[in-house]
Each structure stands twice: as C-alpha cells, then as structure tokens.
Amino acid sequence: MISVNNVFNFYNKAYYLNTVFKYKTSSSLPSKNYILYNRYVLYKYNKIVHFTSKSKLNFVFDIEKEQLAFRKSLSAVLESLLKNSMYKELPEVEKWLQKLLQENLVGGKNRRGFSTVMAYGMTEKPEKVNEHSLYLARTLGWCVEMFQAYGIILDDIMDSSSTRRGNVCWYRRPDVGLSCAINDSILVYNNIFEILKTHFRNTPNYIDIFHLITKVMCLTAAGQHLDFITAKSPKVYSTFTINRYNAIVKYKTAYYTYNLPVNLGLLLTSNMEREMLEPVNDICIKLGTLFQMQDDYIDCYGDETVTGKLGTDIQEGKCTWLAVQALQRCTNNQRKVFEVCYGSPEPAHIERVKRIYHELKIPKMYRAEEQTLYEEILQQTRSISRDAISSLLTALLEITYRRQL
C-alpha cells in the first residue's frame, strides 16, 4: 500500500473541497487537474485515485486507459453476438447487423457506456476487480450504448434531423432510408438482450439487469412522448413551464443517461447496498437535469464543427430551458415575437428568437444556473456515506460540468 503523503508528493499539489469552492475560478489554483475532495478523490489529468477512510491508496481508476480498453472491447462484444446461430443462417442479415452496429456505436463520446464501467470499477472491492469482471462491465456498457443508438435512430427520425456526430443521420443515408432505419432500430434494441443472455444469464443479478433496462426504456419512451406533444402543441406555450420541462428531462434524459449506467455498474458489484440506491438515483436525476440544460444551450449556441450536430430546437419548437426562462421573463411585445418565430424553420425567425434570448440575458442566466446546480449536486455527493459511491458521483459531475459537446 502507498501512503497518501507519497501520493501527494507525486502529484505535487492538492486542495480540499472547501478550497476548491473558494479557488475554483481563481488564478491561484494552479490547474484544474489537481483536486482532492474530502471523499478522498484526487484528479490528476485523466486519472481518478480514490482512498479508503484509513488514508491508504485503495485503487487507481485510469480514465484514459479504461476508455481505450472500453472502445477496444467492442469488437469482442460484436463477435460474440454474431456467433448466434440465427445469423449464421442469414449471412446477409449478419453482414448488415455488423455494419449497423459498427457505424452507430463508433464515433460518439460513449459517455453512457463508459459511465457503466466507471460505476463498476470505482465501487467494486479492489480485490474483486480483474480483467474478466472489467470485460463484463465493458460489455454491459456497450449494451447501454446500443440503448443509446436505438434511441438516436428513432429520435433523428422524429425530429427530422439532418446530421449526427458530423455525419448524415442514419435514416437519411441512401443505402438505408426511413423504412429500413425503423427496422434497424428494432434490430439494435432486441440484440441488447441477446448480449445479456450470452454474458449474464448465469450471474446473480441477471433478472435485475434485464428488468432495469426494460423499465428505463419504458420511462424514456414516456419522456420522449411528453417532449413530442409539448413541442407540437398549439403555439400558445402555456405548457412551457419549469415543471413540464423538469418532467421531460427526468424521463427523456436523466434515467438513461445517468440512472441506467450507474445502477447497472452497481448491480455488477459484489457489495451493492440497495438502501444506497435512492440517494444515488436522486443525484443521477439532478445530473441529468444539468446535462439536459447544457444540451439545450449547446443546441442553440454550440459550434456545429465541434458538436457534429446542427441545432434544431428552435425550429422544432422544443420545450427547452432557454425557452422556458425566456417566456417567464419576456415583455408582451417580446412574447408576441416569440410566438410568431418559435417553431419556424425560417433563418430570420431563428435569429429573432436568439435575439430575444440575448435581450433577456438568458446565456448569462444559464451560466449562473449551471454553477448553482453544480454546487448543489456536489454538496449532495458529500452526503453519501459510502466513500466509493460518493467518489463515483463526484467524478461524473466533474466530467459533466461545463462540457462543450
């Protein structure tokens, strides 16, 4: 075991949580790469080192190394899936499925899938973490990425999107088309359960994993419906309330972006405490709210060359954080302009909505709200009694905070 003092000497500088709050935006903090939280998490570049309460080095979770291992594991996961005898009898389907999964799983940030690996790797007993257990966590992470791919294919169709991750949307590709893309989404979804059956049916939490994925799929579909009907409602915008927005975010985004991967990772561990799930899930919902607020802002103000996606929330009339805040604060004249322009594909109308946002100082409000929500979540993570889970949630928060894409 390596003492904490030796780790400090190696990393040179560290700051406790109250110091980070005080100096987070100050030039006196030498680098955001050096942060020590009172739950014993030290961030240095892309490594997370977390400690036992006895101040001994417990486990190093190397983000960069594990992300690389996660991405490399996809080929083995696909190989195990395509060994299914059904696909051997249908070589054309096998070839198409391989193309479908490869092109829809590669090229993204893999944030949700990798969060599954983090949840397992950071909370499992160190002596239980080995290459086989990490492979299972990575495999489960790819199931989460398939969940995401299934949703993206259908979401792009519903939103009439043109680009995704810098490429033309799957359903718009000449070799795919709308009808094929719908069937492709069904293929992606159902093969999640083929992978689960192959790798997890003999594990103690197989049924729990199965039911969690189906439950979150149902919740996400409900959120998607709420998002759709709110955007398509008559242009009086009476439904654009913060309560409606929070409901959309909770069901459409938070459950599958944070609750699903975190809970799946915890289910893989040998020491999961079910009584911890309620406070963990509450924090995950707040992380999802922060994430969706950021998505709304990036959709409006992000650089397409960076995000890989053309923002469409204004022209689609989406119930976003920006729109809700603007409607709460606008003058009668601004509201009339908003009601005419919001939901219109006309470039001049889109710019007029953005001008209203600027006049109301919505971007400045967003930055303040992002910071407030960040500090609220950080405070909540400190209340988690189990150090490893607190460390995990803090790490997910730091990865999410002020992201650009």
Side-chain angles (χ1 to χ4, degrees):
M1 301 292 267
I2 305 171
S3 72
V4 173
N5 286 335
N6 286 338
V7 174
F8 288 173
N9 291 335
F10 179 76
Y11 286 114
N12 300 320
K13 296 236 181 177
Y15 290 82
Y16 282 101
L17 181 59
N18 59 354
T19 309
V20 173
F21 267 126
K22 194 180 297 181
Y23 295 111
K24 192 160 190 69
T25 58
S26 168
S27 59
S28 59
L29 184 64
S31 168
K32 193 180 176 187
N33 293 326
Y34 300 90
I35 306 175
L36 176 66
Y37 292 97
N38 67 345
R39 288 296 180 186
Y40 314 114
V41 186
L42 179 67
Y43 291 81
K44 170 72 165 70
Y45 301 108
N46 284 325
K47 292 182 175 63
I48 297 174
V49 184
H50 59 96
F51 303 90
T52 66
S53 57
K54 294 180 180 179
S55 298
K56 295 292 185 180
L57 183 61
N58 190 18
F59 179 68
V60 178
F61 189 87
D62 188 327
I63 290 182
E64 191 174 65
K65 177 184 173 184
E66 290 301 330
Q67 281 179 328
L68 182 61
F70 177 64
R71 292 190 176 111
K72 283 184 175 180
S73 68
L74 176 60
S75 58
V77 173
L78 294 185
E79 184 180 350
S80 69
L81 172 63
L82 296 171
K83 284 180 179 177
N84 188 311
S85 59
M86 175 182 68
Y87 296 124
K88 294 304 176 186
E89 294 175 9
L90 300 168
E92 287 177 293
V93 177
E94 177 189 9
K95 184 178 179 181
W96 182 259
L97 180 61
Q98 185 166 15
K99 175 181 178 178
L100 165 66
L101 293 175
Q102 191 72 34
E103 296 194 22
N104 282 280
L105 296 177
V106 175
K109 297 173 285 294
N110 304 133
R111 179 182 288 113
R112 294 164 181 85
F114 186 64
S115 294
T116 309
V117 182
M118 285 181 65
Y120 171 74
M122 290 186 66
T123 63
E124 176 63 291
K125 294 176 181 176
E127 65 271 18
K128 296 282 187 179
V129 179
N130 53 53
E131 191 53 39
H132 176 67
S133 69
L134 283 171
Y135 174 71
L136 289 178
R138 292 167 193 147
T139 301
L140 205 50
W142 283 116
C143 288
V144 174
E145 287 297 315
M146 289 172 68
F147 187 116
Q148 161 82 340
Y150 161 78
I152 280 176
I153 291 170
L154 294 178
D155 190 61
D156 285 345
I157 293 171
M158 291 179 70
D159 292 346
S160 301
S161 298
S162 55
T163 59
R164 171 74 67 170
R165 297 169 180 169
N167 297 309
V168 66
C169 290
W170 185 251
Y171 79 100
R172 288 186 179 271
R173 287 178 44 153
D175 58 333
V176 181
L178 180 61
S179 298
C180 183
I182 292 170
N183 191 67
D184 285 346
S185 71
I186 298 169
L187 272 175
V188 173
Y189 177 71
N190 283 284
N191 277 286
I192 294 172
F193 301 102
E194 289 299 315
I195 292 173
L196 290 180
K197 185 172 68 176
T198 299
H199 295 279
F200 297 98
R201 63 180 158 187
N202 294 321
T203 61
N205 287 322
Y206 173 58
I207 298 300
D208 289 335
I209 291 170
F210 184 95
H211 284 307
L212 177 61
I213 291 175
T214 55
K215 176 184 176 182
V216 173
M217 179 58 70
C218 185
L219 295 172
T220 305
Q224 183 76 358
H225 177 74
L226 197 60
D227 180 51
F228 181 78
I229 62 171
T230 305
K232 299 302 178 185
S233 62
K235 297 175 76 172
V236 292
Y237 300 108
S238 60
T239 58
F240 276 46
T241 65
I242 197 63
N243 287 339
R244 172 60 67 93
Y245 177 75
N246 287 336
I248 293 171
V249 169
K250 179 178 179 179
Y251 288 92
K252 181 189 174 185
T253 302
Y255 276 119
Y256 95 98
T257 301
Y258 290 97
N259 296 66
L260 178 63
V262 168
N263 278 266
L264 286 176
L266 294 177
L267 280 170
L268 280 184
T269 65
S270 59
N271 56 346
M272 188 186 75
E273 301 166 12
R274 291 188 181 270
E275 63 272 17
M276 295 295 301
L277 292 181
E278 185 175 347
V280 166
N281 284 324
D282 288 344
I283 292 172
C284 285
I285 295 297
K286 282 201 171 182
L287 282 167
T289 302
L290 174 62
F291 183 90
Q292 187 60 55
M293 277 179 55
Q294 293 170 327
D295 253 18
D296 295 347
Y297 183 86
I298 292 167
D299 185 275
C300 186
Y301 295 106
D303 182 348
E304 186 187 354
T305 62
V306 176
T307 64
K309 182 183 178 184
L310 179 65
T312 58
D313 284 350
I314 293 175
Q315 47 268 55
E316 289 167 20
K318 288 297 184 75
C319 180
T320 67
W321 186 87
L322 307 173
V324 169
Q325 299 303 320
L327 286 167
Q328 286 180 347
R329 291 163 175 79
C330 62
T331 65
N332 288 336
N333 286 338
Q334 286 172 325
R335 187 180 183 93
K336 287 176 184 177
V337 173
F338 185 95
E339 289 177 354
V340 169
C341 297
Y342 203 72
S344 167
E346 293 296 324
H349 288 174
I350 295 169
E351 286 306 311
R352 190 66 188 90
V353 172
K354 289 184 179 182
R355 197 184 316 159
I356 291 173
Y357 289 166
H358 177 73
E359 290 165 359
L360 295 170
K361 296 182 171 56
I362 300 297
K364 183 178 179 180
M365 285 178 52
Y366 162 77
R367 286 299 179 200
E369 182 64 21
E370 183 188 32
Q371 180 67 29
T372 298
L373 189 52
Y374 167 83
E375 292 178 6
E376 284 179 9
I377 298 170
L378 197 52
Q379 190 66 30
Q380 275 191 273
T381 65
R382 297 177 66 194
S383 68
I384 299 293
S385 59
R386 192 170 151 203
D387 287 351
I389 294 179
S390 179
S391 300
L392 166 68
L393 295 170
T394 304
L396 291 174
L397 174 61
E398 287 297 328
I399 290 169
T400 303
Y401 181 57
R402 293 211 167 171
R403 66 188 179 90
Q404 299 299 313
L405 68 162

